[in-house]
Amino acid sequence: VCDKTGTLTEGKPRLTCVMAAQGFREDEVLQLGASLERASEHPLAAAIVGGAGERKLALLPVTDFQSETGKGVRGNIGGKAVAIGNRRMLESLNIDPLALDEQAAERRAEGETVMYVAIDNKPAGLIGAADPIKVATPEAIRELHAEGLRIVMLTGDNKITAEAVARKLGIDRVIAEVLPEQKVEVVKQLQAEGRVVAM
């Protein structure tokens, strides 16, 4: 069993796209998203902040910052309520992400991780990042398979994104959208099935 980010991948995602919903601008979505992510420790945060820097967007002060594990972060920026995270983040704030889902699915099918951005309780846009696969990963997977091992990827990332990465690598099974505290339960479940598990 292995994690995806930083294990199979470099753990250094790069910004790949910014999309704005109707009534919002790309620069606004990225600037507010990056301003929030500056306080986050997640590898995706660094990609967003770096992308804003490349576009010369100034990061703005954030008040009432809150991090919700497995969902995202939120806070207030210049009087606007801003949230960035996965679909669950928007749903937890009673914001309907449906308007962004089709574009999000297209980016995920390419192996990108997609974050939803909400501004003042409206779906404002998407920010996509891709985490390159480590150079040594394909060979490591081949060698583990040659030893007769079955490889399971366990990730908090979206299922479509995780499956796109797994297809590229020949991973046997994907368990996605798992919160950090649920990973132990997955290992216990595999052991209960009579498997010898290494993570």
Side-chain angles (χ1 to χ4, degrees), residues 123-196:
L126 300 171
I127 298 177
D131 188 5
I133 293 168
K134 284 182 182 174
V135 175
T137 298
E139 180 61 23
I141 298 293
R142 279 193 293 277
E143 288 181 18
L144 290 167
H145 278 144
E147 294 290 329
L149 296 175
R150 192 161 180 257
I151 313 296
V152 177
M153 180 201 297
L154 190 56
T155 179
D157 210 344
N158 174 275
K159 189 172 172 40
I160 299 168
T161 302
E163 286 175 349
V165 172
R167 265 193 310 279
K168 288 178 189 168
L169 293 171
I171 301 282
D172 301 294
R173 183 174 172 195
V174 176
I175 304 172
E177 300 178 22
V178 179
L179 296 172
E181 61 270 18
Q182 294 173 318
K183 290 184 179 182
V184 170
E185 295 306 314
V186 172
V187 170
K188 286 180 182 174
Q189 182 185 338
L190 290 167
Q191 290 171 325
E193 292 170 11
R195 304 196 184 277
V196 177

Side-chain angles (χ1 to χ4, degrees), residues 66-143:
Q66 293 178 48
S67 177
E68 297 187 25
T69 303
K71 290 182 185 173
V73 293
R74 60 191 170 107
N76 288 307
I77 302 171
K80 294 179 181 178
V82 182
I84 180 170
N86 58 24
R87 198 175 198 282
R88 285 191 300 245
M89 182 70 176
L90 267 63
E91 288 170 342
S92 73
L93 299 170
N94 295 315
I95 300 167
D96 185 357
L98 187 63
L100 302 172
D101 283 344
E102 188 177 328
Q103 287 178 308
E106 288 170 10
R107 304 307 298 195
R108 287 186 186 120
E110 298 297 317
E112 291 180 25
T113 298
V114 179
M115 284 141 295
Y116 290 78
V117 178
I119 301 171
D120 286 336
N121 298 312
K122 294 186 187 82
L126 300 171
I127 298 177
D131 188 5
I133 293 168
K134 284 182 182 174
V135 175
T137 298
E139 180 61 23
I141 298 293
R142 279 193 293 277
E143 288 181 18

